[in-house]
């Protein structure tokens, strides 16, 4: 069943063509659509009920931005440089060469660096003739278990994502919070019995231990669940759920402590960031940052990955992976192909819609 109605698809295209700031968000597994614009949230229920509220907002935070400097859509204009999609894809040769060097660095320091590449191009139709609303509908329908969004502003351009990674869910009433350590990737295993290899288990352990340590440093104890599998299209990830309790004044501290996690940056953090400054030639912009939904009783933030940055008919897709000592450049490249191919397929299906 398609997620977006024809009316909402048309509203998306109209808002983009008119250069209005707006966003749509759909929580994992949900059919409830939230439209954010001009300081209001309009909620569309599957039974056709429509409600409007001023108590729910849509937050945007770019890569490496502190929580306090996030932008709430509709609240003035963000003080960022205008974001245009990268127009140059990283070549296979450049990717392989960079990853080979990063593997050696990670081996020497026993660390991890999350390296990304860009896949850039043009949509099948030029300019205003391409329907980003139709693409969003296909995207949202396919990845039902992910957090799905599309947003546009004159500063950011258009962004669309379906991310499996929760950064933080915080209950403002009870103080309970939940985050995840998602790291380790392989092709989807339908049998359900294949054991994960040590490289992927170690990669997940980096993330889980890092989150536990940085939260402990700000006085917060957590519990960690056993590992489970998270499916995303044709691939699956290892995931550990992490739970704790903290007072409301700790929300900003928690997010700044775990953002970016080693799943998007690496470990140790400063050394991983230094690697990216040397070897990653493109700007991440919103990729690797987070999208937040703020309501009266809850704050939810999701890591912005599996995303497309677009402007008119130009697009840029980001695909990354965690590089550790056991990594193979060719295998890491294939992982980025597995992560980004579904997005590329959705873009070129336009004429068949």
């Amino acid at each position: 069943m398609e997620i977006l109605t024809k009316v909402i698809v048309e509203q998306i295209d109209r808002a983009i063509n008119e250069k209005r700031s707006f966003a749509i968000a759909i929580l994992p597994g949900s059919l409830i659509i939230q439209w954010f614009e001009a300081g209001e949230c309009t909620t569309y229920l599957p039974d056709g009920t429509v409600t409007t509220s001023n108590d729910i907002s849509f937050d945007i935070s770019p890569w490496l931005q502190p929580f306090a400097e996030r932008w709430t859509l509709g609240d003035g204009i963000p003080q960022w440089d205008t974001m245009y999609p990268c127009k140059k894809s990283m070549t296979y040769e450049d990717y392989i060469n960079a990853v080979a060097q990063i593997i050696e660095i990670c081996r020497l320091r026993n660390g991890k660096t999350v390296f990304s590449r860009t896949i850039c191009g043009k949509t099948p139709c030029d300019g205003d003739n391409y329907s980003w609303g139709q693409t969003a509908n296909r995207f949202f329908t396919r990845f039902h278990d992910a957090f799905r969004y599309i947003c546009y502003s004159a500063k950011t351009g258009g962004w669309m994502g379906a991310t499996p990674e929760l950064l933080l869910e915080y209950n403002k009433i009870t103080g309970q919070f939940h985050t995840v350590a998602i790291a380790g990737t392989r092709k989807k295993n339908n049998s359900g019995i294949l054991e994960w290899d040590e490289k992927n288990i170690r990669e997940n352990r980096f993330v889980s231990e890092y989150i536990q340590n940085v939260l402990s440093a700000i006085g917060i104890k957590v519990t960690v669940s056993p590992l489970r599998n998270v499916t995303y299209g044709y691939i699956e990830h290892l995931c550990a759920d992490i739970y704790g309790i903290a007072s409301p004044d700790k929300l900003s501290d928690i997010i700044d402590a775990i953002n970016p996690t080693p799943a998007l940056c690496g470990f140790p953090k400063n050394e991983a960031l230094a690697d990216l400054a040397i070897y990653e030639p493109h700007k991440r912009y919103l990729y690797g940052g987070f999208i937040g939904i703020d309501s009266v009783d809850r704050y939810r933030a999701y890591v912005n990955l599996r995303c497309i940055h677009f402007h008119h008919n130009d697009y840029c897709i980001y695909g990354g992976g965690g590089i550790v000592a056991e990594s193979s450049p060719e295998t890491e490249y294939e992982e980025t192909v597995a992560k980004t191919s579904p997005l590329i397929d959705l873009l070129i299906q336009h004429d068949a819609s």
Side-chain angles (χ1 to χ4, degrees), residues 22-36:
F22 81 97
I24 283 179
I26 309 174
L27 294 174
S30 176
L31 297 175
I32 298 173
I33 300 164
Q34 294 178 307
W35 180 292
F36 300 87

Side-chain angles (χ1 to χ4, degrees), residues 331-350:
T331 301
E332 294 295 340
Y333 184 86
E334 289 305 315
E335 180 178 317
T336 66
V337 171
K339 289 175 177 177
T340 59
S341 292
L343 282 68
I344 297 171
D345 292 343
L346 291 167
L347 285 170
I348 63 177
Q349 289 173 19
H350 184 270

Side-chain angles (χ1 to χ4, degrees), residues 44-348:
Y44 298 86
L45 300 181
D47 64 4
T49 302
V50 180
T51 61
T52 302
S53 171
N54 296 315
D55 296 327
I56 310 173
S57 60
F58 185 92
D59 287 353
I60 300 171
S61 187
W63 169 245
L64 301 182
Q65 181 123 336
F67 180 73
E69 296 178 16
R70 71 197 185 281
W71 178 53
T72 297
L73 191 143
D75 185 14
I77 299 174
Q79 300 302 304
W80 311 324
D81 293 336
T82 302
M83 301 176 183
Y84 294 107
C86 176
K87 294 187 177 182
K88 184 178 181 181
S89 300
M90 179 177 283
T91 67
Y92 175 81
E93 291 77 14
D94 286 346
Y95 179 89
I96 295 297
N97 290 336
V99 170
Q101 294 180 72
I102 294 171
I103 288 172
E104 180 61 18
I105 293 170
C106 290
R107 186 187 67 79
L108 292 173
R109 70 162 182 258
N110 192 32
K112 167 185 171 181
T113 295
V114 179
F115 186 70
S116 70
R117 70 182 181 97
T118 51
I119 301 94
C120 308
K122 292 184 178 292
T123 59
C125 303
D126 290 337
D128 296 341
N129 294 321
Y130 185 81
S131 173
W132 287 105
Q134 289 180 17
T135 302
N137 191 25
R138 292 192 298 273
F139 200 11
F140 296 172
T141 301
R142 180 168 182 176
F143 295 101
H144 180 71
D145 294 330
F147 172 75
R148 294 145 289 171
Y149 81 92
I150 181 172
C151 67
Y152 176 88
S153 76
K155 278 284 189 176
T156 62
W159 287 80
M160 183 189 312
T163 172
E165 184 161 354
L166 173 72
L167 180 65
L168 187 74
E169 181 174 8
Y170 179 79
N171 187 313
K172 298 179 181 179
I173 308 301
T174 66
Q176 294 175 310
F177 68 85
H178 172 211
T179 185
V180 297
I182 291 185
T185 304
R186 68 183 183 190
K187 291 183 179 179
K188 185 178 178 180
N189 172 38
N190 293 321
S191 69
I193 60 173
L194 184 65
E195 295 293 332
W196 285 82
D197 61 30
E198 180 56 33
K199 183 262 184 187
N200 282 292
I201 293 173
R202 181 168 176 260
E203 188 178 342
N204 187 278
R205 191 185 308 124
F206 271 133
V207 180
S208 179
E209 291 180 351
Y210 174 84
I211 293 173
Q212 293 175 68
N213 290 337
V214 295
L215 291 180
S216 176
I218 58 174
I220 298 174
K221 295 182 179 179
V222 298
T223 58
V224 183
S225 73
L227 291 172
R228 61 183 174 90
N229 290 4
V230 173
T231 300
Y232 184 90
Y234 301 119
I235 60 177
E236 58 187 359
H237 303 287
L238 270 175
C239 175
D241 295 285
I242 300 172
Y243 300 93
I245 298 177
S247 58
D249 62 299
K250 287 287 190 178
L251 175 60
S252 179
D253 293 336
I254 293 171
I255 289 186
D256 284 345
I258 64 177
N259 176 46
T261 74
L264 263 296
C265 174
F267 179 84
K269 179 187 288 188
N270 290 337
E271 286 84 343
L273 290 173
D275 291 344
L276 297 181
I278 295 170
Y279 295 105
E280 206 172 78
H282 48 269
K283 293 183 178 180
R284 289 194 172 190
Y285 291 131
L286 299 188
Y287 170 69
F290 70 82
I291 303 296
I293 307 297
D294 192 6
S295 61
V296 173
D297 63 345
R298 202 171 300 270
Y299 193 88
R300 296 181 178 93
Y302 292 85
V303 180
N304 188 31
L305 52 122
R306 313 296 152 77
C307 56
I308 304 168
H309 186 196
F310 63 90
H311 179 71
H312 294 303
N313 66 320
D314 293 317
Y315 69 81
C316 175
I317 297 173
Y318 293 84
I323 312 302
V324 294
E326 298 88 351
S327 294
S328 155
E330 293 77 15
T331 301
E332 294 295 340
Y333 184 86
E334 289 305 315
E335 180 178 317
T336 66
V337 171
K339 289 175 177 177
T340 59
S341 292
L343 282 68
I344 297 171
D345 292 343
L346 291 167
L347 285 170
I348 63 177

